[in-house]
Amino acid sequence: MSLDLKQIVSDFKNGLWAENPIIRLVIGMCPTLAVTNTTENGLAMGLATSFVLVSSEIVISLIKKLIPANVRIPSYILIIATFVTFVDYFLKAFFPGIAASLSIFIPLIVVNCLILGRQEAFASKHSTPRAIADGIGMGLGFTWVLVLLGAIRELFGMGSIFGFTLLGEWYRPMVIMVLPAGAFITLGILVGIMNQISREGK
C-alpha cells in the first residue's frame, strides 16, 4: 500500500489548528482547566497525553481487524490504560514533583474523550501511518494550547514562567489566575482570539 504523503501531512496539520482538540473541538477540558496553573504542569500533561494518544493509535490501527465490533470500546480502554499506567509509573519514578502536582489527572487520561475519541473516529478506520500523523498532530495541538494557557496563568498569577521570575517585586500577582476561575477566564479569552484569527484568515 503506497503512502499518500499529502494526506499524512494534512492529518498532522489538522490537530495543530483546524481540528485542535481544545480551541476547535473543545474536548479534553478536565485537564485543560485543572492542571494549567503553571507552564510546567501544562507541558507535562500535554506530553503525557500525547504519548498515550500516539501509542494507542499505533496499536489500535495495527490490530483493528482483530478486535470484534461488540467489544471494541472495552478493548480500546484496556490498551489506553496500559500506556497510561506506564506514564504514571514513569513520572512517579523520574519526576516525582510533577507526578504529585498532576496527581489524579494522570490516571484520568484513560477517560479523556480526546484519547478514546481518536481511537474510535480515526485509528480504527485508517492506516497506521495516518494514525501516527493524527496522533502526533492532535497531541502537539493539545500540548501547545496547554502550555500557552499555563504560561498566561502562571505569568499573571505568579509573575513567572517555568518558575523563572519575569515580573519584579513591583508586580502584584492576580491570584484569580491560578484558581479554577482563572482557567475558565483565560481559556474563554483564548478561544475567542483563536476564533477571530480563524475568521480573518478565511
Side-chain angles (χ1 to χ4, degrees), residues 66-199:
L66 302 177
I67 302 176
N70 59 333
V71 295
R72 68 185 189 284
I73 299 301
S75 300
Y76 298 164
I77 292 174
L78 180 61
I79 293 168
I80 293 167
T82 301
F83 290 112
V84 170
T85 301
F86 175 85
V87 169
D88 191 25
Y89 280 105
F90 177 84
L91 289 176
K92 287 177 179 176
F94 296 101
F95 303 97
I98 293 176
S101 296
L102 298 180
S103 184
I104 190 64
F105 295 102
I106 290 296
L108 283 177
I109 292 176
V110 174
V111 293
N112 189 320
C113 50
L114 165 63
I115 307 289
L116 187 57
R118 296 319 291 176
Q119 312 314 316
E120 177 70 6
F122 202 93
S124 63
K125 296 179 174 63
H126 296 95
S127 64
T128 301
R130 290 191 63 185
I132 293 173
D134 177 75
I136 295 175
M138 285 287 171
L140 288 179
F142 187 72
T143 301
W144 80 254
V145 175
L146 288 187
V147 170
L148 178 59
L149 196 59
I152 294 171
R153 293 181 64 195
E154 183 180 354
L155 178 63
F156 289 103
M158 303 178 189
S160 62
I161 291 181
F162 280 113
F164 295 100
T165 300
L166 299 181
L167 303 178
E169 295 181 359
W170 56 268
Y171 179 70
R172 293 186 62 184
M174 300 169 59
V175 179
I176 191 174
M177 295 302 289
V178 295
L179 298 176
F184 281 98
I185 293 169
T186 308
L187 181 61
I189 294 173
L190 189 59
V191 170
I193 292 172
M194 298 305 181
N195 286 339
Q196 184 62 35
I197 293 173
S198 297
R199 283 195 292 268

Side-chain angles (χ1 to χ4, degrees), residues 13-79:
K13 291 169 62 178
N14 275 343
L16 297 179
W17 184 266
E19 294 183 12
N20 185 278
I22 298 174
I23 59 176
R24 307 299 289 172
L25 303 181
V26 196
I27 57 178
M29 289 295 101
C30 181
T32 300
L33 297 171
V35 305
T36 54
N37 56 329
T38 67
T39 319
E40 183 180 69
N41 284 352
L43 178 60
M45 177 57 74
L47 293 178
T49 303
S50 297
F51 171 79
V52 174
L53 177 59
V54 174
S55 301
S56 56
E57 284 212 45
I58 291 173
V59 172
I60 289 171
S61 67
L62 287 172
I63 66 171
K64 57 182 179 289
K65 294 182 179 179
L66 302 177
I67 302 176
N70 59 333
V71 295
R72 68 185 189 284
I73 299 301
S75 300
Y76 298 164
I77 292 174
L78 180 61
I79 293 168

